[in-house]
Amino acid sequence: MGYVNYGICVRLAVVVAVLTASFCVGSTDPRDVLAINSLYISLDFPPLDKWISFGGDPCGDLWQGVFCVFSNVTEIRLSGMNLGGVLPDTLGDLESIINMDLSNNHIGGSIPSNLPHTLRNFSLSGNQFIGSIPDTLSSLTQLLELSLNNNLLSGGIPDAFQQFTGLINLDLSANNLSGQLPPSMGSLSSLSTLHLQNNKLTGTLNVLEDLHLTDLNIENNLFSGPIPDKVLAIPNFRREGNPFNTTIIASPPTALPPSIALAPNSQAPGHQADAPSAFETTNSPNARKFWTTKKIVLVAATVGAILVVLGLCLLMWRFCKGRQANRDAERNNVSAYTGPGEKPNYNKSSLQPSVQIEKASKEPVMKSQDGQGVDSRSMVTSPKLRDEQLPPPPLPFPLVEKVTAKPVAPPEEAARSQSSVNMNSSSVSVFTIALLQQYTNSFSEENFIGEGLLGSVYRAELPDGKLLAVKKLGNTATLQQTDEEFLELVSRISKLRHANIVELVGYCYELGQRLLVYNYYGNGTLHDLLHVDEESHKNFSWNMRIRVALGAARALQYLHEGCHPPVVHRNFKSSNILLDEKLAVCVSDCGLAPLLSSESLSGLLTTHGSGAPEFESGSYSCQSDVYSLGVVMLELLTGRKPYDRLRPRGEQSLIRWAIPRLHDIDALSRMVDPSLNGAYSSKSISRFADIISRCVQWEPGFRPTMSEIVQDLLRMI
């Protein structure tokens, strides 16, 4: 009986040990594993101990800088690890993380909008982040410390602090932040340290006066107005380098009654005994009558002078208004009502309003001598001016040619010009035609890169050796928008900031020309790599192709899900996927869809073979880009062009030829690019084909979202 009891105890002990072991194994939550894999890839595969790009056990294997509680990642501490790359939008999938410190690295791009809601301590200081602070910061209601200092952030501080009742330390210093302090900062009831120094912040400090701060640094900003007394009482308050108005205008001293100061019979100060008689003298009826009459005369004279001045101003205003109306009438007669065979009279007064050029350093609306700065449809240009209006190319560099002389513009044009300045001048540069001619050698043939649906592209070299790409928009693209709409388009494009999207550097709006200036990528396009450069094509491995597909998908994911409202590319194809020396992807023509005509979009479907079927009906959506990405991935899989007239009739359209073969493993293996020489796994090919098949569904509603595609591609790496 004793042996039986002993055996039962042993078995129970084994069972308990097994159950205990199963709970003690450091198996990380799969969602956390996937998020950290994505982070590793986005940071350009840094040499961190134990880190891998797919799978693994960060908690059980003690990955460098990763700390866990049970199976959940709760901390990532990678400060000063020389990290590069960008942060992925999948950070928000770390649903248990409390502390994240990525400070003092070289991480760039924009701050992701999808951040973990559980964060309490979040530091990205000392990096190279650009763009604005995301509004979604408002969801991080558990934050205790937030450090975004020493980056390249711009724009205003978002009004997102309503629920940040526990935030203690906030550091936004050493960026390019502008605008006023948001009202919700007044809700930071627990804030003790606030550092905003070395920015371009404006306005007053009134929103901070009820906070319980002990350390406030606002040095080297543009704050103005009087400083509230409660702010002055902060123990550690640093404010140098701001144009504060600290002077207090003293109210004028109360004047003595004229009767006392000027009474003819008043006594000397030493005769105190005579004071009552002096008082009686000044209050006599004669004195009161005298000073009352004088006051009336002074008031009447003042009122008369004011009326005269107002009358003169009214007359001058009516006179100027009449002259302006006459000039407008003359200009309208010249542009709209000139009869057949009649030539407009280009006298001095009629040309003067059309020769105004805005200051390029501050106002991007360049008004040329042909009068096309605001509305080219209402201006007429003298033919002789076109050969004389180009200034000689300036020898010194800067990037922007400054013109200081500017006639006064009419109020309506000034208002439009000022609104454009507010949109664009902070993020992009304004080039002149003369400078771009100098940098492109007058748009010479040797600097010609290629031509697309929107126009020609030229290589430009600046005096310091930096290379840029200049897209000269064609007439078809130019006619799609008015002048004001084009400037609004430039403003929107300048805000697209992502590691996989070509950044807009500047633009030119002069002499009826519209040009966009981008960073230059010397490794060509994906189309060139697959279909033109045979030597590079042979070295284009399967893993490289998956990474290119992932980079392209991330660009579209940002446009669709990271921009509000979403941006539909509409012209996504392999020739718009640029590659750098490391084959990192940068997608071009983002945000230029409004310049595309319906005819050119239908050409994507027929001639290029990359357009979605709904293009024929004029319907476009984010799912249309998903279809085009499927076509690009077919190019990566097969090495074939989307539409090739040199192939047999049944194989000219890649999409029609490939779709029936995607789910047949034998047919799929035969359609893979022969240059890969079998250097791939059949499982990987099958997964890739499955992603393509879902992307190129005929009905847009059946296609996956870009987030799903990115996750599927991440699992393949």
Side-chain angles (χ1 to χ4, degrees):
M1 188 70 176
Y3 288 105
V4 174
N5 292 337
Y6 177 79
I8 294 173
C9 291
V10 170
R11 291 172 185 169
L12 287 173
V14 171
V15 171
V16 171
V18 171
L19 291 174
T20 305
S22 65
F23 282 103
C24 294
V25 172
S27 179
T28 312
D29 188 309
R31 291 170 297 183
D32 289 355
V33 174
L34 203 59
I36 293 187
N37 291 153
S38 178
L39 176 62
Y40 180 60
I41 296 171
S42 295
L43 295 178
D44 290 342
F45 310 95
L48 298 174
D49 188 32
K50 306 287 182 64
W51 285 60
I52 56 178
S53 58
F54 182 73
D57 187 4
C59 296
D61 294 340
L62 301 178
W63 286 17
Q64 182 179 358
V66 178
F67 301 88
C68 303
V69 174
F70 300 111
S71 62
N72 296 113
V73 175
T74 57
E75 290 188 58
I76 296 179
R77 297 202 296 260
L78 297 174
S79 176
M81 301 300 294
N82 199 30
L83 305 177
V86 299
L87 293 184
D89 292 330
T90 54
L91 277 183
D93 296 340
L94 295 167
E95 297 180 351
S96 301
I97 193 165
I98 296 175
N99 301 324
M100 183 178 295
D101 185 0
L102 301 175
S103 59
N104 302 316
N105 285 293
H106 307 287
I107 307 173
S110 56
I111 299 175
S113 57
N114 185 21
L115 294 170
H117 298 172
T118 54
L119 278 174
R120 295 183 184 176
N121 300 286
F122 187 33
S123 178
L124 299 178
S125 61
N127 280 285
Q128 300 172 7
F129 287 101
I130 60 174
S132 58
I133 302 174
D135 293 335
T136 52
L137 194 72
S138 59
S139 63
L140 309 185
T141 56
Q142 300 184 38
L143 273 179
L144 301 178
E145 295 188 3
L146 176 62
S147 301
L148 304 178
N149 52 295
N150 291 286
N151 280 287
L152 304 172
L153 299 173
S154 58
I157 301 175
D159 193 16
F161 300 100
Q162 289 86 351
Q163 307 298 324
F164 281 52
T165 54
L167 189 64
I168 299 173
N169 299 323
L170 177 60
D171 193 346
L172 305 178
S173 60
N175 282 289
N176 293 315
L177 299 175
S178 58
Q180 301 185 10
L181 299 182
S184 60
M185 266 195 174
S187 304
L188 299 175
S189 55
S190 301
L191 195 67
S192 63
T193 300
L194 177 59
H195 287 176
L196 302 172
Q197 69 270 21
N198 300 319
N199 279 291
K200 301 174 184 177
L201 298 170
T202 59
T204 66
L205 302 178
N206 294 342
V207 71
L208 305 178
E209 61 180 338
D210 292 328
L211 302 183
H212 306 291
L213 293 170
T214 58
D215 184 0
L216 175 61
N217 191 339
I218 57 168
E219 293 178 332
N220 302 320
N221 277 285
L222 301 172
F223 289 113
S224 58
I227 304 174
D229 293 337
K230 293 181 181 179
V231 175
L232 287 171
I234 295 174
N236 188 13
F237 177 38
R238 285 158 286 179
R239 59 186 178 184
E240 288 74 18
N242 286 279
F244 283 118
N245 179 18
T246 56
T247 59
I248 300 177
I249 301 175
S251 53
T254 305
L256 293 174
S259 55
I260 295 179
L262 300 176
N265 296 327
S266 59
Q267 301 296 320
H271 297 166
Q272 296 180 5
D274 297 334
S277 61
F279 181 80
E280 291 172 2
T281 304
T282 56
N283 284 276
S284 63
N286 292 334
R288 187 165 58 249
K289 180 179 180 181
F290 171 79
W291 292 112
T292 300
T293 303
K294 186 173 183 179
K295 287 181 181 179
I296 293 173
V297 172
L298 289 173
V299 170
T302 303
V303 171
I306 292 174
L307 290 175
V308 170
V309 171
L310 289 176
L312 290 174
C313 291
L314 181 60
L315 289 174
M316 292 178 65
W317 176 77
R318 294 189 64 181
F319 175 75
C320 292
K321 185 177 181 182
R323 291 190 61 189
Q324 182 63 45
N326 290 336
R327 283 199 297 268
D328 291 341
E330 291 175 5
R331 194 158 55 230
N332 290 333
N333 289 335
V334 169
S335 60
Y337 298 108
T338 302
E342 294 179 339
K343 295 183 179 180
N345 182 17
Y346 293 105
N347 54 31
K348 183 176 181 181
S349 62
S350 65
L351 283 177
Q352 188 172 359
S354 66
V355 297
Q356 52 189 345
I357 301 179
E358 304 292 340
K359 291 185 179 179
S361 61
K362 295 183 179 179
E363 304 181 17
V365 183
M366 302 293 294
K367 296 185 177 58
S368 62
Q369 291 182 353
D370 61 358
Q372 296 187 4
V374 175
D375 192 350
S376 59
R377 296 167 297 178
S378 62
M379 296 288 187
V380 175
T381 307
S382 171
K384 295 181 180 179
L385 288 177
R386 294 194 178 274
D387 296 331
E388 301 173 358
Q389 56 198 351
L390 278 176
L395 293 178
F397 183 72
L399 210 61
V400 181
E401 184 176 83
K402 297 183 179 180
V403 183
T404 55
K406 180 182 71 173
V408 178
E412 295 82 7
E413 291 186 14
R416 282 199 299 267
S417 178
Q418 187 59 40
S419 66
S420 301
V421 171
N422 294 337
M423 289 189 297
N424 300 311
S425 61
S426 61
S427 56
V428 294
S429 300
V430 183
F431 293 80
T432 63
I433 288 288
L435 282 175
L436 293 181
Q437 283 185 324
Q438 177 183 348
Y439 300 153
T440 60
N441 192 19
S442 297
F443 299 97
S444 61
E445 187 67 27
E446 63 265 19
N447 285 320
F448 177 76
I449 298 175
E451 187 163 1
L453 295 178
L454 297 175
S456 305
V457 183
Y458 296 84
R459 180 175 52 252
E461 183 175 358
L462 303 186
D464 62 355
K466 182 178 180 180
L467 295 177
L468 299 174
V470 179
K471 181 184 289 290
K472 188 177 181 182
L473 298 178
N475 292 332
T476 304
T478 302
L479 293 174
Q480 293 298 314
Q481 290 191 319
T482 65
D483 301 334
E484 290 79 5
E485 288 171 340
F486 173 72
L487 293 177
E488 291 177 3
L489 179 73
V490 170
S491 175
R492 290 194 297 270
I493 298 173
S494 68
K495 296 173 184 176
L496 299 178
R497 300 296 179 89
H498 190 270
N500 298 118
I501 288 179
V502 180
E503 181 181 351
L504 181 70
V505 175
Y507 72 103
C508 177
Y509 178 69
E510 189 180 7
L511 308 181
Q513 300 292 326
R514 294 177 181 176
L515 303 98
L516 299 173
V517 184
Y518 294 93
N519 284 326
Y520 177 77
Y521 290 84
N523 216 16
T525 68
L526 177 61
H527 181 273
D528 297 334
L529 180 59
L530 286 172
H531 311 304
V532 178
D533 191 343
E534 294 183 2
E535 188 63 31
S536 299
H537 186 182
K538 293 178 182 178
N539 299 322
F540 196 19
S541 69
W542 178 244
N543 287 335
M544 290 179 181
R545 299 182 191 214
I546 299 299
R547 295 188 189 282
V548 168
L550 177 61
R554 279 180 166 157
L556 291 178
Q557 181 188 28
Y558 167 76
L559 294 176
H560 295 178
E561 302 169 18
C563 298
H564 304 284
V567 176
V568 182
H569 192 287
R570 298 188 188 178
N571 190 19
F572 189 83
K573 53 187 178 180
S574 57
S575 57
N576 280 333
I577 299 176
L578 308 184
L579 304 171
D580 66 6
E581 291 74 12
K582 298 180 180 179
L583 294 185
V585 167
C586 272
V587 177
S588 65
D589 282 9
C590 297
L592 297 183
L595 300 179
L596 291 168
S597 64
S598 57
E599 292 80 7
S600 60
L601 287 172
S602 63
L604 285 175
L605 180 63
T606 55
T607 306
H608 299 279
S610 57
E614 58 267 24
F615 279 12
E616 284 187 339
S617 61
S619 176
Y620 320 108
S621 67
C622 293
Q623 300 310 103
S624 306
D625 289 344
V626 174
Y627 184 96
S628 298
L629 175 62
V631 177
V632 169
M633 289 193 290
L634 264 181
E635 292 182 69
L636 290 168
L637 174 66
T638 64
R640 296 190 177 200
K641 296 179 181 179
Y643 192 85
D644 192 347
R645 296 182 183 275
L646 300 180
R647 291 188 176 274
R649 187 173 183 83
E651 299 182 16
Q652 289 181 354
S653 173
L654 176 60
I655 194 77
R656 294 177 182 175
W657 172 78
I659 285 179
R661 294 167 170 80
L662 289 175
H663 296 294
D664 185 338
I665 190 63
D666 294 329
L668 179 62
S669 61
R670 290 193 298 269
M671 65 187 287
V672 176
D673 189 349
S675 68
L676 289 172
N677 294 320
Y680 52 83
S681 68
S682 58
K683 183 177 180 181
S684 180
I685 293 293
S686 179
R687 284 183 177 179
F688 198 63
D690 181 63
I691 298 173
I692 295 173
S693 177
R694 290 186 292 122
C695 289
V696 295
Q697 292 291 321
W698 186 269
E699 290 295 332
F702 294 157
R703 301 168 197 159
T705 64
M706 289 311 307
S707 291
E708 296 174 31
I709 298 172
V710 168
Q711 292 302 321
D712 290 341
L713 290 172
L714 280 172
R715 295 187 185 98
M716 294 186 60
I717 296 179

